[in-house]
Amino acid sequence: MNTKSVFLVLMVFISTTGLLQASSATGKEALCEKTASSLAREGKLDEGIDQIRQCIEKGSSRAKSHVVLGYLLLEKGEPQQAMASFEKALQLRPRSSDAKTGKGILLAQQGDLKGAEATLLDALKLNPDPARTYYELGILYQQLGDTQQAVDFFKQGIASYEEEKGK
Amino acid sequence: MTRKTHTRFLPRKKNLLIILFATFALLQSSISVPALKTLGVGTEAPDFELMDLNGKKQNFSSIKGDKQTILLFWASWSRQSEKALKEMEKLHKKYQNMGLSVVGINVERQTIDAKAMADIQGIHDRLQITFPILIDRGLVSFHDFGVIAVPTTVILDKDRQIAFELSGFPLVGARDMIHFVAASIEGKEATVVLAEKTGYQPDKKAVRSWNMGVKALNSKRTYKSAEMWFKKAIQADPKFIQPYLSLGIFYQEQGKSPQAREQFQRVLQEQPDNVKALSQMGLSLLEEGSLASAREMLEKAIKADEAHTPSFYYLGYLTGREGDLKKAAELFTNAEEINPMDYRINVYRGMMFEEQNNLSEAARSYKNALKQLLNLQ
């Protein structure tokens, strides 16, 4: 084997190792997010929040981790902390439709219906199929008194969910 | 011990003939009622991994019986579930050492909080249940199996193939189920007779093709290939009913009503009381505007199986369309009593209100349906 070949093999080895390490870290973070969500689904909301916070403290730079934390805090009734999590997720990934939807829900809760409408419609542009965004828009238009629009958004949400899950 | 009991009641020749005749008549009058959305007798059931009441993960392999496994999908809010649990406890006590495993899968609701857990534990303790109870958090197995009513009983063989299914816990159906278990566990001769009763045993190649079709439906990419697989299954075994039903529903979802009805008609020629075919045929006629024929089909479906939820909400929608909102509301409530987790109840309720131009009620119903789908409290 000549020097050039050895160099090439070494380069491939180094880059593969780097990729494996990166994907393993991402895998760990994804698992952590999944575990946190499962705990919440089992009714152990505080444990779920602790789990995802630990994961973020250990250095998770995934926007998704902050989105998961945001929704769990929203469920717990901690709107300020939830908003901080969604904002952090949007800093890391400005086109996160899930983070925008979370922010829209909070704005609506705070009474900023126009701000919520703009944010949720923006989320819809980024991902045209999110059932949750349709749901929140439906609620928003119910509050705004536009029942026909609410009906349309709820129906689109159902259709979007069914299509996504192949039901 | 069972054998002894059996022998003790063995009568003289004349009485034996009477009993044989009575058994024959009983078996003729009842069949294994379709209880699941897409799966059926002869097909492979999905595996599961659920926690038991002690927090230990269990799957089919860890919990199956050497001969058969009964899965009872139940909930504390369902009136019939308690009756079913009591019968299952009897079967468990009688056959646990003879190759039968009984497993209760609790489908209380999407999220199990402390109150739900206390309800489940309460029933478990009060009825002194000794077989394992698994908790279906997120209703994963409930959806994987395509359960239509609560309770639902599914009997699997050691290879996880469905041998018997029962929706609700009707008197005759429950009696058949008990006979089926007794015959399968105790006697070879009876199993032969019951094989006829539980339905046609389809060709394996046909079952494989049908299973491929069912799997294809679950992905956007492969959805359209389902039609080809169902047709292949029919070609491999024209007497196998399930592919006709699946193909009919596939056409119905594509808006191809005449083709859909052709498939349902084919099923009804073979099995005039097939609740799924009656119900889907009723829906197809309803969508076409043939309300009287639709009503006839749906009423027949409810008569054939009073635990088949879709028949109730299709009929509810039809009744609302005809203007009797009070009766329609009753039918939707009937459906909710059988299976409150079926979001389509709210979809059809919403459609009814929307057609009545009652937009606020329509929005409320659609919202509830979507809330159920998104698993929001």
Coordinates of all heavy atoms in Angstrom, one line a residue, chain B residues 254-340:
Chain B
Q254 N -61.8 5.7 -2.2 CA -61.4 6.4 -3.5 C -62.7 7.0 -4.1 O -62.5 7.6 -5.2 CB -60.9 5.3 -4.5 CG -59.8 4.5 -4.0 CD -58.5 5.2 -4.2 OE1 -58.1 5.6 -5.3 NE2 -57.7 5.3 -3.2
G255 N -63.8 6.9 -3.5 CA -65.1 7.4 -4.1 C -65.6 6.6 -5.2 O -66.5 7.1 -6.0
K256 N -65.2 5.3 -5.3 CA -65.7 4.5 -6.4 C -66.8 3.6 -5.9 O -66.6 2.4 -5.6 CB -64.5 3.6 -7.0 CG -63.4 4.4 -7.6 CD -62.3 3.5 -8.0 CE -61.2 4.3 -8.7 NZ -60.0 3.5 -8.9
S257 N -67.9 4.2 -5.7 CA -69.1 3.5 -5.0 C -69.5 2.3 -5.7 O -69.7 1.2 -5.0 CB -70.2 4.5 -4.8 OG -69.8 5.5 -3.9
P258 N -69.8 2.3 -7.0 CA -70.3 1.0 -7.7 C -69.3 -0.1 -7.5 O -69.8 -1.3 -7.2 CB -70.4 1.4 -9.1 CG -70.5 2.9 -9.2 CD -69.7 3.4 -8.0
Q259 N -68.0 0.1 -7.6 CA -67.0 -1.0 -7.4 C -67.1 -1.5 -6.0 O -66.9 -2.6 -5.7 CB -65.6 -0.5 -7.8 CG -65.4 -0.4 -9.3 CD -65.3 1.1 -9.7 OE1 -66.2 1.8 -9.3 NE2 -64.4 1.5 -10.4
A260 N -67.2 -0.5 -5.1 CA -67.2 -0.9 -3.6 C -68.4 -1.8 -3.3 O -68.3 -2.8 -2.7 CB -67.3 0.4 -2.8
R261 N -69.6 -1.4 -3.8 CA -70.8 -2.1 -3.6 C -70.7 -3.5 -4.2 O -71.2 -4.5 -3.6 CB -72.0 -1.4 -4.1 CG -72.4 -0.2 -3.1 CD -73.9 0.1 -3.3 NE -74.1 0.7 -4.6 CZ -73.9 1.9 -4.9 NH1 -73.5 2.8 -4.0 NH2 -74.2 2.4 -6.1
E262 N -70.0 -3.6 -5.3 CA -69.9 -4.9 -6.0 C -69.1 -5.9 -5.0 O -69.5 -7.1 -4.9 CB -69.0 -4.7 -7.2 CG -69.2 -5.8 -8.3 CD -68.3 -5.5 -9.4 OE1 -68.3 -4.4 -10.0 OE2 -67.4 -6.4 -9.8
Q263 N -68.1 -5.4 -4.3 CA -67.3 -6.2 -3.4 C -68.2 -6.6 -2.2 O -68.2 -7.7 -1.7 CB -66.1 -5.5 -2.9 CG -65.2 -5.0 -4.1 CD -64.7 -6.2 -5.0 OE1 -64.5 -7.3 -4.5 NE2 -64.7 -5.9 -6.3
F264 N -68.9 -5.6 -1.6 CA -69.7 -5.9 -0.4 C -70.8 -6.9 -0.8 O -71.2 -7.8 0.0 CB -70.3 -4.6 0.1 CG -69.3 -3.6 0.6 CD1 -69.5 -2.2 0.3 CD2 -68.1 -4.0 1.2 CE1 -68.5 -1.3 0.7 CE2 -67.2 -3.1 1.6 CZ -67.4 -1.7 1.3
Q265 N -71.4 -6.7 -2.0 CA -72.5 -7.6 -2.4 C -71.9 -9.1 -2.5 O -72.6 -10.0 -2.1 CB -72.9 -7.2 -3.8 CG -74.3 -7.8 -4.2 CD -75.4 -7.4 -3.2 OE1 -75.6 -6.2 -2.9 NE2 -76.1 -8.4 -2.7
R266 N -70.7 -9.2 -2.9 CA -70.1 -10.5 -3.1 C -70.0 -11.2 -1.6 O -70.2 -12.3 -1.5 CB -68.7 -10.3 -3.7 CG -67.9 -11.6 -3.9 CD -68.6 -12.5 -4.9 NE -68.2 -13.9 -4.7 CZ -67.2 -14.5 -5.3 NH1 -66.5 -13.8 -6.3 NH2 -66.9 -15.7 -5.1
V267 N -69.6 -10.3 -0.7 CA -69.5 -10.9 0.7 C -70.9 -11.3 1.2 O -71.0 -12.4 1.8 CB -68.9 -9.8 1.7 CG1 -68.9 -10.3 3.1 CG2 -67.5 -9.4 1.2
L268 N -71.9 -10.4 0.9 CA -73.2 -10.7 1.4 C -73.8 -11.9 0.8 O -74.7 -12.6 1.4 CB -74.1 -9.5 1.3 CG -73.7 -8.3 2.2 CD1 -74.5 -7.0 1.8 CD2 -73.9 -8.6 3.6
Q269 N -73.4 -12.3 -0.4 CA -73.9 -13.5 -1.1 C -73.4 -14.7 -0.3 O -74.1 -15.7 -0.1 CB -73.3 -13.6 -2.5 CG -74.1 -12.9 -3.5 CD -73.4 -12.7 -4.9 OE1 -72.4 -13.4 -5.1 NE2 -73.9 -11.9 -5.7
E270 N -72.2 -14.6 0.2 CA -71.6 -15.7 1.0 C -72.1 -15.7 2.4 O -72.4 -16.8 3.0 CB -70.1 -15.7 1.0 CG -69.4 -15.9 -0.3 CD -69.5 -17.4 -0.7 OE1 -69.4 -18.2 0.1 OE2 -69.6 -17.6 -2.0
Q271 N -72.1 -14.5 3.0 CA -72.5 -14.3 4.4 C -73.5 -13.2 4.6 O -73.1 -12.1 4.8 CB -71.2 -14.0 5.3 CG -70.2 -15.1 5.3 CD -69.0 -14.7 6.2 OE1 -68.9 -13.6 6.6 NE2 -68.1 -15.6 6.3
P272 N -74.8 -13.5 4.4 CA -75.8 -12.5 4.5 C -75.8 -11.6 5.7 O -76.3 -10.5 5.7 CB -77.1 -13.2 4.3 CG -76.8 -14.6 3.8 CD -75.4 -14.9 4.3
D273 N -75.3 -12.1 6.8 CA -75.3 -11.4 8.1 C -73.9 -10.8 8.4 O -73.6 -10.4 9.5 CB -75.7 -12.3 9.2 CG -77.2 -12.5 9.2 OD1 -77.9 -11.7 8.7 OD2 -77.6 -13.6 9.7
N274 N -73.0 -10.7 7.4 CA -71.7 -10.1 7.7 C -71.8 -8.6 8.0 O -72.2 -7.8 7.2 CB -70.8 -10.3 6.5 CG -69.4 -9.9 6.8 OD1 -69.1 -8.7 7.1 ND2 -68.4 -10.8 6.8
V275 N -71.6 -8.3 9.3 CA -71.9 -7.0 9.8 C -71.0 -5.9 9.1 O -71.5 -4.8 8.8 CB -71.7 -6.9 11.3 CG1 -70.3 -7.1 11.7 CG2 -72.3 -5.6 11.9
K276 N -69.8 -6.2 8.7 CA -68.9 -5.2 8.1 C -69.5 -4.9 6.7 O -69.6 -3.7 6.3 CB -67.5 -5.7 7.9 CG -66.7 -5.6 9.2 CD -65.2 -6.0 8.9 CE -64.5 -6.4 10.1 NZ -63.2 -7.0 9.9
A277 N -69.9 -5.9 6.0 CA -70.4 -5.7 4.6 C -71.7 -5.0 4.6 O -71.9 -4.0 3.9 CB -70.5 -7.0 3.9
L278 N -72.6 -5.3 5.6 CA -73.9 -4.7 5.7 C -73.7 -3.2 6.0 O -74.3 -2.3 5.4 CB -74.7 -5.3 6.8 CG -75.3 -6.7 6.5 CD1 -75.9 -7.3 7.8 CD2 -76.5 -6.6 5.5
S279 N -72.8 -2.9 7.0 CA -72.6 -1.6 7.4 C -71.9 -0.7 6.3 O -72.4 0.4 6.1 CB -71.6 -1.7 8.6 OG -71.4 -0.5 9.1
Q280 N -70.9 -1.2 5.6 CA -70.3 -0.4 4.6 C -71.2 -0.3 3.4 O -71.2 0.8 2.7 CB -69.0 -1.1 4.1 CG -67.9 -1.1 5.2 CD -67.6 0.3 5.8 OE1 -67.8 0.4 7.1 NE2 -67.3 1.3 5.1
M281 N -72.0 -1.3 3.1 CA -73.0 -1.2 2.0 C -74.0 -0.1 2.4 O -74.4 0.7 1.5 CB -73.7 -2.5 1.9 CG -74.7 -2.6 0.7 SD -73.9 -2.5 -0.9 CE -74.3 -4.1 -1.5
G282 N -74.4 -0.1 3.6 CA -75.3 1.0 4.1 C -74.7 2.4 3.9 O -75.4 3.3 3.4
L283 N -73.5 2.5 4.3 CA -72.8 3.8 4.1 C -72.7 4.2 2.7 O -73.0 5.4 2.3 CB -71.4 3.8 4.7 CG -70.6 5.0 4.6 CD1 -71.2 6.2 5.3 CD2 -69.1 4.8 5.0
S284 N -72.4 3.2 1.8 CA -72.3 3.5 0.4 C -73.6 4.0 -0.2 O -73.7 5.0 -0.9 CB -71.8 2.3 -0.3 OG -71.7 2.5 -1.7
L285 N -74.7 3.3 0.2 CA -76.1 3.7 -0.3 C -76.4 5.1 0.3 O -77.0 5.9 -0.4 CB -77.1 2.7 0.2 CG -77.0 1.3 -0.5 CD1 -77.7 0.2 0.3 CD2 -77.5 1.4 -1.9
L286 N -76.0 5.3 1.5 CA -76.3 6.6 2.2 C -75.6 7.8 1.4 O -76.2 8.8 1.2 CB -75.8 6.5 3.6 CG -75.7 7.7 4.5 CD1 -77.1 8.4 4.6 CD2 -75.3 7.4 5.9
E287 N -74.3 7.5 1.1 CA -73.6 8.6 0.4 C -74.2 8.8 -1.0 O -74.1 9.9 -1.5 CB -72.1 8.1 0.2 CG -71.3 8.2 1.5 CD -70.0 7.6 1.5 OE1 -69.7 6.8 0.6 OE2 -69.2 7.9 2.4
E288 N -74.8 7.8 -1.6 CA -75.4 7.9 -2.9 C -76.8 8.6 -2.8 O -77.3 9.1 -3.8 CB -75.6 6.5 -3.4 CG -75.8 6.4 -4.9 CD -76.3 5.1 -5.3 OE1 -77.4 4.6 -4.7 OE2 -75.7 4.4 -6.1
G289 N -77.3 8.6 -1.6 CA -78.6 9.3 -1.4 C -79.8 8.3 -1.3 O -81.0 8.7 -1.2
S290 N -79.5 7.0 -1.4 CA -80.6 6.0 -1.3 C -80.9 5.7 0.2 O -80.4 4.7 0.7 CB -80.2 4.7 -2.0 OG -79.7 4.9 -3.3
L291 N -81.6 6.7 0.8 CA -81.7 6.6 2.3 C -82.5 5.4 2.8 O -82.1 4.8 3.8 CB -82.3 7.9 2.8 CG -81.6 9.2 2.5 CD1 -82.1 10.4 3.3 CD2 -80.1 9.1 2.7
A292 N -83.6 5.0 2.1 CA -84.4 3.9 2.6 C -83.6 2.6 2.5 O -83.6 1.8 3.5 CB -85.7 3.8 1.7
S293 N -82.9 2.4 1.4 CA -82.1 1.1 1.3 C -81.0 1.2 2.3 O -80.6 0.1 2.9 CB -81.5 1.0 -0.1 OG -82.5 1.2 -1.1
A294 N -80.4 2.3 2.5 CA -79.3 2.5 3.5 C -79.8 2.1 4.9 O -79.1 1.4 5.6 CB -78.7 3.9 3.4
R295 N -80.9 2.7 5.2 CA -81.5 2.4 6.5 C -81.7 0.9 6.7 O -81.4 0.3 7.8 CB -82.8 3.2 6.7 CG -83.6 2.8 8.0 CD -84.7 3.7 8.2 NE -84.3 5.1 8.6 CZ -83.9 5.4 9.8 NH1 -83.9 4.6 10.8 NH2 -83.5 6.7 10.0
E296 N -82.3 0.3 5.7 CA -82.5 -1.2 5.8 C -81.2 -2.0 6.1 O -81.2 -2.8 6.9 CB -83.1 -1.6 4.4 CG -83.8 -3.0 4.5 CD -84.2 -3.5 3.1 OE1 -84.6 -2.6 2.3 OE2 -84.1 -4.7 2.9
M297 N -80.2 -1.6 5.3 CA -78.9 -2.3 5.5 C -78.3 -2.1 6.9 O -77.9 -3.0 7.6 CB -77.9 -1.7 4.5 CG -78.0 -2.2 3.1 SD -77.5 -4.0 3.0 CE -78.2 -4.4 1.5
L298 N -78.4 -0.8 7.4 CA -77.8 -0.5 8.7 C -78.6 -1.1 9.8 O -78.0 -1.5 10.8 CB -77.7 1.1 8.8 CG -76.7 1.7 7.8 CD1 -76.8 3.2 7.9 CD2 -75.2 1.3 8.2
E299 N -79.9 -1.1 9.7 CA -80.7 -1.7 10.7 C -80.4 -3.2 10.8 O -80.3 -3.8 11.9 CB -82.2 -1.5 10.5 CG -82.5 0.0 11.0 CD -83.9 0.4 10.7 OE1 -84.6 -0.3 10.0 OE2 -84.3 1.5 11.2
K300 N -80.2 -3.8 9.6 CA -79.8 -5.2 9.6 C -78.5 -5.5 10.2 O -78.3 -6.4 10.9 CB -79.7 -5.7 8.1 CG -80.6 -6.8 7.7 CD -80.3 -7.1 6.2 CE -81.1 -8.2 5.7 NZ -80.9 -8.4 4.2
A301 N -77.5 -4.5 10.0 CA -76.2 -4.6 10.6 C -76.3 -4.6 12.1 O -75.6 -5.4 12.8 CB -75.3 -3.5 10.0
I302 N -77.1 -3.7 12.6 CA -77.2 -3.6 14.1 C -77.8 -4.8 14.7 O -77.4 -5.3 15.7 CB -78.0 -2.3 14.5 CG1 -77.1 -1.1 14.1 CG2 -78.4 -2.3 15.9 CD1 -77.8 0.3 14.3
K303 N -78.8 -5.4 13.9 CA -79.4 -6.6 14.4 C -78.4 -7.8 14.4 O -78.4 -8.6 15.3 CB -80.6 -7.0 13.4 CG -81.7 -7.7 14.1 CD -82.9 -7.8 13.1 CE -83.8 -8.9 13.6 NZ -84.8 -9.2 12.6
A304 N -77.5 -7.8 13.4 CA -76.5 -8.8 13.2 C -75.5 -8.7 14.3 O -74.9 -9.7 14.8 CB -75.8 -8.8 11.9
D305 N -75.1 -7.5 14.7 CA -74.1 -7.3 15.8 C -74.3 -6.0 16.5 O -74.0 -4.9 15.9 CB -72.7 -7.4 15.2 CG -71.6 -7.2 16.2 OD1 -71.9 -7.1 17.4 OD2 -70.4 -7.1 15.8
E306 N -74.9 -6.1 17.7 CA -75.2 -4.8 18.4 C -74.0 -4.1 19.0 O -74.2 -3.1 19.7 CB -76.3 -5.1 19.5 CG -75.8 -6.2 20.5 CD -76.9 -6.5 21.4 OE1 -78.1 -6.3 21.1 OE2 -76.6 -7.0 22.5
A307 N -72.8 -4.7 18.8 CA -71.6 -4.0 19.3 C -70.8 -3.4 18.2 O -69.6 -3.1 18.4 CB -70.8 -5.0 20.1
H308 N -71.3 -3.4 17.0 CA -70.5 -2.8 15.9 C -70.7 -1.3 15.8 O -71.8 -0.8 15.3 CB -70.9 -3.5 14.6 CG -70.0 -3.2 13.4 ND1 -70.4 -2.3 12.4 CD2 -68.7 -3.5 13.1 CE1 -69.4 -2.2 11.5 NE2 -68.4 -2.9 11.9
T309 N -69.8 -0.5 16.3 CA -70.0 0.9 16.5 C -70.3 1.7 15.2 O -71.2 2.5 15.2 CB -68.7 1.6 17.1 OG1 -68.1 0.6 17.9 CG2 -69.0 2.8 17.8
P310 N -69.6 1.4 14.0 CA -69.9 2.2 12.8 C -71.4 2.1 12.4 O -71.9 3.1 12.0 CB -69.0 1.6 11.8 CG -67.8 1.0 12.5 CD -68.4 0.5 13.8
S311 N -72.0 0.9 12.6 CA -73.4 0.8 12.2 C -74.3 1.9 12.9 O -75.2 2.5 12.3 CB -74.0 -0.5 12.5 OG -73.1 -1.5 12.1
F312 N -73.9 2.1 14.1 CA -74.7 3.1 14.9 C -74.5 4.5 14.5 O -75.4 5.3 14.3 CB -74.4 3.0 16.4 CG -75.0 1.8 17.1 CD1 -74.4 0.6 17.2 CD2 -76.3 1.9 17.6 CE1 -75.0 -0.5 17.8 CE2 -76.9 0.8 18.2 CZ -76.3 -0.4 18.3
Y313 N -73.2 4.9 14.2 CA -73.0 6.3 13.8 C -73.4 6.6 12.4 O -73.8 7.7 12.0 CB -71.7 6.9 14.2 CG -70.4 6.2 13.8 CD1 -69.9 6.4 12.5 CD2 -69.6 5.5 14.7 CE1 -68.7 5.8 12.2 CE2 -68.4 5.0 14.4 CZ -67.9 5.1 13.1 OH -66.7 4.6 12.8
Y314 N -73.3 5.5 11.5 CA -73.8 5.7 10.1 C -75.3 6.0 10.2 O -75.8 6.9 9.5 CB -73.5 4.5 9.3 CG -72.0 4.2 9.0 CD1 -71.6 2.9 8.6 CD2 -71.1 5.2 9.1 CE1 -70.3 2.6 8.3 CE2 -69.7 4.9 8.8 CZ -69.4 3.6 8.4 OH -68.0 3.3 8.2
L315 N -76.0 5.1 11.0 CA -77.4 5.3 11.1 C -77.8 6.6 11.8 O -78.8 7.2 11.4 CB -78.0 4.1 11.9 CG -79.5 3.9 11.9 CD1 -80.1 3.9 10.4 CD2 -80.0 2.7 12.6
G316 N -77.0 7.0 12.7 CA -77.2 8.3 13.4 C -77.1 9.4 12.4 O -78.0 10.3 12.4
Y317 N -76.1 9.4 11.5 CA -75.9 10.4 10.5 C -77.1 10.4 9.6 O -77.7 11.5 9.2 CB -74.6 10.1 9.8 CG -74.4 11.0 8.6 CD1 -74.4 12.3 8.6 CD2 -74.1 10.4 7.3 CE1 -74.1 13.1 7.5 CE2 -73.8 11.1 6.2 CZ -73.8 12.5 6.3 OH -73.6 13.3 5.2
L318 N -77.5 9.2 9.1 CA -78.7 9.1 8.2 C -80.0 9.7 8.9 O -80.7 10.4 8.3 CB -78.9 7.6 7.9 CG -79.9 7.2 6.8 CD1 -79.6 5.8 6.3 CD2 -81.3 7.1 7.4
T319 N -80.2 9.3 10.2 CA -81.4 9.7 10.9 C -81.4 11.3 11.0 O -82.4 11.9 10.9 CB -81.4 9.0 12.3 OG1 -81.3 7.6 12.1 CG2 -82.7 9.3 13.0
G320 N -80.2 11.8 11.3 CA -80.1 13.3 11.3 C -80.4 13.9 10.0 O -81.1 15.0 9.9
R321 N -79.9 13.3 8.9 CA -80.2 13.8 7.6 C -81.7 13.8 7.3 O -82.2 14.7 6.6 CB -79.5 12.9 6.6 CG -78.6 13.5 5.7 CD -78.1 12.6 4.6 NE -77.0 13.1 4.0 CZ -76.5 12.6 2.8 NH1 -77.0 11.5 2.3 NH2 -75.5 13.1 2.3
E322 N -82.4 12.8 7.9 CA -83.8 12.7 7.6 C -84.6 13.7 8.6 O -85.8 13.8 8.5 CB -84.3 11.3 7.9 CG -83.9 10.3 6.8 CD -84.2 8.9 7.1 OE1 -84.4 8.6 8.3 OE2 -84.3 8.1 6.2
G323 N -83.9 14.4 9.5 CA -84.5 15.4 10.3 C -84.8 15.0 11.7 O -85.2 15.9 12.5
D324 N -84.6 13.8 12.1 CA -84.9 13.4 13.5 C -83.7 13.5 14.3 O -83.0 12.5 14.6 CB -85.5 11.9 13.5 CG -86.0 11.5 14.8 OD1 -85.8 12.3 15.8 OD2 -86.7 10.5 14.9
L325 N -83.4 14.7 14.8 CA -82.1 15.0 15.5 C -82.1 14.3 16.9 O -81.0 13.9 17.4 CB -81.9 16.5 15.6 CG -81.6 17.2 14.3 CD1 -81.4 18.7 14.6 CD2 -80.4 16.6 13.6
K326 N -83.3 14.1 17.5 CA -83.3 13.5 18.8 C -82.9 12.0 18.7 O -82.1 11.5 19.5 CB -84.7 13.6 19.4 CG -84.8 13.4 20.9 CD -86.2 13.6 21.4 CE -86.3 12.9 22.7 NZ -87.6 12.5 23.1
K327 N -83.5 11.3 17.7 CA -83.1 9.9 17.5 C -81.7 9.8 17.1 O -81.0 8.9 17.5 CB -84.1 9.3 16.5 CG -83.9 7.9 16.1 CD -84.4 7.0 17.3 CE -83.9 5.6 17.1 NZ -83.8 4.8 18.3
A328 N -81.2 10.7 16.3 CA -79.8 10.7 15.8 C -78.9 10.8 17.0 O -77.9 10.1 17.1 CB -79.6 11.8 14.8
A329 N -79.2 11.7 17.9 CA -78.4 11.9 19.1 C -78.3 10.6 19.9 O -77.2 10.3 20.4 CB -78.9 13.1 19.9
E330 N -79.4 9.9 20.0 CA -79.4 8.7 20.8 C -78.5 7.7 20.1 O -77.8 6.9 20.8 CB -80.9 8.1 20.7 CG -81.8 8.5 21.8 CD -83.2 8.0 21.6 OE1 -83.4 6.9 21.1 OE2 -84.1 8.8 22.0
L331 N -78.6 7.6 18.8 CA -77.7 6.6 18.1 C -76.2 6.9 18.2 O -75.4 6.0 18.4 CB -78.1 6.6 16.6 CG -79.4 5.8 16.3 CD1 -80.0 6.3 15.0 CD2 -79.2 4.3 16.4
F332 N -75.9 8.2 18.2 CA -74.5 8.6 18.4 C -74.1 8.3 19.9 O -72.9 7.8 20.1 CB -74.3 10.1 18.2 CG -74.2 10.5 16.7 CD1 -75.1 11.3 16.1 CD2 -73.3 9.9 15.9 CE1 -75.1 11.6 14.8 CE2 -73.2 10.2 14.5 CZ -74.1 11.1 14.0
T333 N -75.0 8.4 20.8 CA -74.7 8.1 22.2 C -74.5 6.6 22.3 O -73.6 6.1 23.0 CB -75.8 8.6 23.1 OG1 -76.0 9.9 22.9 CG2 -75.5 8.3 24.6
N334 N -75.3 5.8 21.6 CA -75.2 4.3 21.6 C -73.8 4.0 21.2 O -73.1 3.1 21.7 CB -76.2 3.7 20.6 CG -77.6 3.7 21.1 OD1 -78.5 3.7 20.3 ND2 -77.8 3.7 22.4
A335 N -73.3 4.6 20.1 CA -72.0 4.3 19.5 C -70.9 4.7 20.6 O -70.0 3.9 20.8 CB -71.8 5.1 18.3
E336 N -71.1 5.8 21.3 CA -70.1 6.2 22.3 C -70.0 5.2 23.4 O -69.0 5.0 24.1 CB -70.4 7.6 22.8 CG -69.7 8.6 21.9 CD -70.2 10.0 22.1 OE1 -71.3 10.2 22.7 OE2 -69.5 11.0 21.7
E337 N -71.2 4.6 23.8 CA -71.2 3.7 24.9 C -70.4 2.4 24.5 O -69.8 1.8 25.4 CB -72.7 3.3 25.2 CG -73.3 4.3 26.1 CD -74.8 4.2 26.2 OE1 -75.4 3.2 25.7 OE2 -75.5 5.0 26.8
I338 N -70.4 2.1 23.2 CA -69.7 0.9 22.8 C -68.2 1.2 22.7 O -67.4 0.4 23.1 CB -70.2 0.3 21.5 CG1 -71.7 0.1 21.5 CG2 -69.5 -0.9 21.0 CD1 -72.4 -0.1 20.2
N339 N -67.9 2.3 22.0 CA -66.5 2.6 21.8 C -66.3 4.1 21.8 O -66.2 4.7 20.7 CB -66.0 2.0 20.5 CG -64.5 2.2 20.3 OD1 -63.8 2.8 21.2 ND2 -64.0 1.8 19.2
P340 N -66.1 4.8 23.0 CA -65.9 6.2 23.0 C -64.6 6.7 22.3 O -64.4 7.9 22.1 CB -66.0 6.6 24.5 CG -65.6 5.3 25.2 CD -66.1 4.2 24.3

